Amino acid sequence: MPNAARAVKTQAKPNSRNMAAAGLRAFFNIARDWGLNTDAQMVLLGTPGRSTFFKWKAAPETADLKRDTLERLSYILGIYKALQILLPDTTAADAWVKKPNTAPLFGGQSALDRMLGGNVADLMVVRQYLDVQRGGWA
């Protein structure tokens, strides 16, 4: 068996705890870039208890996330990536979430205001909006 094939066979699949840790680390970096306070971060993550939130922040590798939180992380990471594609200027991409938006979906409020509605669906519609803007699926 060639070395490359053997390496592929022996690579460990990421477990859910490793994926959760990576997702949380990415989330906290995005929250920093977007200038989100603790309360906003907690809402985006599904309003975990404060002690749980701070434990996730201090030691993401110990987090055992529920499906709802993983779904929220997925949408937030997708929103961040879509913004980086649509607005290659990082400062503009990071600022977009807080700017008032005239699209009917936002009703003059910012995307962050919509995302802070607290429901997974609020994150989903922002993600879908951005995907449509960049020519992706609707």
Side-chain angles (χ1 to χ4, degrees):
M1 179 181 298
N3 287 340
R6 190 174 315 131
V8 170
K9 273 191 158 185
T10 60
Q11 276 184 336
K13 289 184 179 181
N15 64 35
S16 61
R17 195 167 291 240
N18 288 343
M19 291 185 342
L24 284 171
R25 283 191 295 272
F27 171 80
F28 289 120
N29 286 332
I30 291 167
R32 179 200 62 222
D33 292 349
W34 288 354
L36 303 181
N37 64 27
T38 297
D39 290 337
Q41 292 176 50
M42 289 178 66
V43 169
L44 291 178
L45 290 173
T47 318
R50 287 187 80 76
S51 62
T52 298
F53 172 81
F54 285 108
K55 184 177 178 184
W56 289 350
K57 194 166 186 173
E61 65 282 355
T62 65
D64 185 19
L65 302 181
K66 291 182 173 38
R67 183 179 181 146
D68 175 81
T69 307
L70 291 170
E71 188 174 353
R72 289 168 178 278
L73 288 172
S74 175
Y75 283 127
I76 293 163
L77 295 173
I79 290 165
Y80 184 82
K81 182 175 181 175
L83 287 171
Q84 299 301 312
I85 292 167
L86 287 166
L87 302 167
D89 174 13
T90 304
T91 304
D94 292 339
W96 182 88
V97 295
K98 289 186 172 180
K99 290 187 175 185
N101 195 311
T102 58
L105 172 68
F106 303 110
Q109 294 188 315
S110 71
L112 180 60
D113 290 330
R114 177 65 191 254
M115 291 188 287
L116 291 176
N119 298 310
V120 172
D122 295 314
L123 299 171
M124 180 190 71
V125 295
V126 173
R127 168 73 189 271
Q128 286 179 334
Y129 172 81
L130 292 170
D131 285 343
V132 168
Q133 296 305 306
R134 62 183 190 91
W137 55 276

